[in-house]
Amino acid sequence: MAAAQGRSSDGAEGMDDAKDSAQAESRTGTAAPPAFRAAVDALRTTRLRPQIEVEPTPAPQRLAPFAYALEAAVVDGDEDLADGRLVLLHDPAGHEAWHGTFRLVTLVRAELEAEMAADPLLPEVCWSWLTGALQARGLTYGEPSGTVTRASSHYFGGLSARPAASQIEIRASWTPREGQGGVPDTAAHLASWCDLLAQVGGLPPAGPGDASVVTLPQRRGPQSR
C-alpha cells in the first residue's frame, strides 16, 4: 500500500494529566470511575513496535459519559503508510447497543496500489484483518459492526498531472470483554489494533517478544463529556 493521506488529528496540543483530569471532572460533576481510569492507564503504558507512532488526541464528548482517544500512524522514514484513531468509550450505567459498559471505536485508512484497489474481495479481506488481529491475541469481544469503504480519486483540469489514487477506510466498533473489576484488557486491544494498522500499511508481522518497542507518550488524561 502507498502512503495514507495525512494523519487524522484535531490539531490540539496535549495537556498534563492532572489539568485534563480536573477539567473532565468539572464538566460532569463526578470523577472518572476507577474502571475507566484503569482502562486508560493500560492504553497509556502499552509498548508498541517503533514503526507505529501513537499519541493521545482530543476525544469525542457526546458519545459516552467518558472517553479517551489515541491517534496513530505507521511511519516509514518520512512517509506515513497508514493512519487511524482509536477511541475508548465508557458508560458506567451500561449501553443497550453495546451490551456492556465499554466500547472501542476505530478509524483506519491507507492509500492503495492500483492492483490492490481493483480486487473485488478487498473489503471482505480488510474486515478479516480486523477480526483476525483480535482473534490472534485471543481476545473475546461482542457486537462488532463497521464499514469498509474503497474510494478512488481522479484529477482533472489544473490537477490533471496528478495520478489517480485509491484509498481504503475501515470504520468499526466492538465491545471488549470486561475482566476483573469490570476492566477490559485495553492494552491487548490496542496491540491488536496496531497489528491491523501495520497490516493495512504493509508492514511484516512483528515477532512475539519483539524488543524493539516504544512506550506511549503520557501527555493527556481521560476526558468526559
Side-chain angles (χ1 to χ4, degrees), residues 11 15 27 32 42 50-51 59 67 75 100 111-112 115 119-120 127-128 133 142 145 158 167 181 186 211 223:
M15 297 184 294
R27 285 195 296 269
Q51 299 94 334
V75 179
E111 286 193 13
L112 303 172
E115 183 178 352
D119 187 343
W127 184 257
S128 73
S145 63
Q167 187 180 67
T186 50
Q223 294 188 354

Side-chain angles (χ1 to χ4, degrees), residues 80-210:
D80 287 4
L81 302 177
D83 63 58
R85 178 174 297 176
L86 183 69
V87 180
L88 175 69
L89 304 176
H90 179 55
D91 187 340
H95 194 291
E96 183 178 355
W98 302 352
H99 290 186
T101 63
F102 284 90
R103 187 75 170 172
L104 285 163
V105 182
T106 186
L107 163 67
V108 172
R109 61 185 181 180
E111 286 193 13
L112 303 172
E113 303 294 347
E115 183 178 352
M116 181 175 289
D119 187 343
L121 295 179
L122 181 65
E124 288 82 0
V125 170
C126 288
W127 184 257
S128 73
W129 288 348
L130 169 62
T131 57
L134 294 169
Q135 293 168 4
R137 292 185 179 270
L139 293 170
T140 54
Y141 59 94
E143 308 305 317
S145 63
T147 61
V148 177
T149 304
R150 174 173 42 191
S152 297
S153 298
H154 298 265
Y155 301 94
F156 301 93
L159 300 177
S160 59
R162 294 187 183 182
S166 297
Q167 187 180 67
I168 195 74
E169 181 179 272
I170 304 170
R171 293 180 179 269
S173 62
W174 63 94
T175 299
R177 181 179 179 182
E178 297 170 15
Q180 186 175 5
V183 182
D185 189 353
T186 50
H189 281 272
L190 174 59
S192 295
W193 180 70
C194 287
D195 291 342
L196 169 66
L197 267 176
Q199 191 161 18
V200 170
L203 293 183
D210 190 347

